[in-house]
Amino acid sequence: MTKSRSVINDRVAPNPVNAEGVIKGSVQLIHAVGMHARPAVKLVKLAKRFQCQIAMRVAGRVDWVDAKSLTKVMATRAARDSIIEFEASGADASAAVAALVTLIAQDFPDGGH
Amino acid sequence: MSDTVSIVIVSHSRDIARGTADMVRQMVGDEVKVAFCGGNADGGLGTDVPRILDAIGTVWSPKGVAVLVDLGGAETNSEMAVEMLPEERRGRVVVCNAPIVEGAVMAATEAAGGSPLDKVQAAAEELAAG
């Protein structure tokens, strides 16, 4: 696992708000092997700490999946260097998107409870 | 966090049960309690009801216990163990219809967020449904 690219890269773009109160963010997946089991577990555990609904997809695909479902997140099989998009709605949506984008940008660091 | 659903892994093979428990601890973390049992007293393959009951007892949580099993006897013996539990615990233990390794990781990830037993079971069984 490469730890060298922990700098938040310039693809990180959590945009605040649109008219419907949906918070959006996107980030490049730099993890060496893509969205495999361990990164997916970390992402889902983090997503579950928020009350809001969080949808996720690989940029360019049609379907959004529930970022709180490990089965669905793993099933995206998102490849390295793909762009992951989030859309969240609910009281803590901004914090959720920011946290998830940071997790991926920092390449899924250990110990983020 | 102690108020999470716990996980029990029941395999015919002690090595598979232990390895599955290791995967859960390493991938999901230690906030979810995990117990495992497998094999018979002679070190061969098998499952038995008293050991399953012990495993459930060691990780008992008021939020409940999700049991992941492999084949045949592991399932029937786990169901028998559930029936032998004290009545107040019986309704809070479920045997999941899911592949043992994947189901254990799915269930534990769901449990780590504090989800109730029915959601933990659903997360494990989502794979089988797919």
Side-chain angles (χ1 to χ4, degrees):
Chain A
M1 196 183 300
T2 53
K3 287 280 181 189
S4 56
R5 300 178 64 188
S6 62
V7 178
I8 295 179
N9 67 47
D10 58 7
R11 305 304 295 260
V12 177
N15 323 316
V17 173
N18 67 13
E20 292 82 38
V22 176
I23 306 295
K24 300 183 179 194
S26 62
V27 57
Q28 187 170 26
L29 182 63
I30 58 174
H31 196 68
V33 292
M35 191 62 77
H36 278 215
R38 255 187 270 209
V41 168
K42 286 182 180 172
L43 190 151
V44 170
K45 280 180 72 180
L46 180 59
K48 283 178 169 300
R49 291 168 58 189
F50 297 93
Q51 299 300 311
C52 58
Q53 296 205 320
I54 309 168
M56 175 195 133
R57 75 172 174 188
V58 179
R61 294 192 195 165
V62 176
D63 294 330
W64 291 87
V65 301
D66 181 356
K68 297 182 184 183
S69 164
L70 181 56
T71 307
K72 295 196 168 74
V73 170
M74 278 191 196
T76 64
R77 296 173 179 267
R80 179 183 182 177
D81 295 332
S82 56
I83 304 294
I84 307 297
E85 299 177 332
F86 293 101
E87 284 194 3
S89 54
D92 53 3
S94 295
V97 171
L100 290 165
V101 164
T102 300
L103 178 77
I104 295 175
Q106 295 183 345
D107 199 15
F108 304 92
D110 283 324
H113 281 290
Chain B
M1 200 190 296
S2 65
D3 58 343
T4 61
V5 172
S6 297
I7 309 292
V8 167
I9 294 153
V10 181
S11 170
H12 281 70
S13 156
R14 185 170 173 79
D15 288 343
I16 286 176
R18 181 172 45 217
T20 304
D22 284 346
M23 273 187 70
V24 170
R25 291 194 196 101
Q26 289 180 34
M27 296 182 75
V28 181
D30 53 12
E31 63 265 55
V32 177
K33 287 182 284 184
V34 184
F36 65 89
C37 62
N40 64 21
D42 304 325
L45 299 180
T47 61
D48 77 43
V49 175
R51 288 178 185 211
I52 297 170
L53 281 167
D54 281 350
I56 293 170
T58 58
V59 294
W60 176 256
S61 158
K63 290 198 76 166
V65 176
V67 183
L68 278 299
V69 301
D70 58 7
L71 303 166
E75 183 174 16
T76 52
N77 280 339
S78 295
E79 284 166 353
M80 204 176 300
V82 173
E83 283 170 26
M84 291 170 68
L85 286 168
E87 195 175 346
E88 68 275 12
R89 290 191 170 188
R90 212 174 292 154
R92 283 180 282 167
V93 181
V94 293
V95 180
C96 299
N97 178 21
I100 187 165
V101 178
E102 296 89 332
V105 173
M106 301 293 168
T109 301
E110 187 70 35
S115 293
L117 184 60
D118 60 337
K119 285 197 71 178
V120 171
Q121 181 179 15
E125 295 184 352
E126 197 177 342
L127 279 168

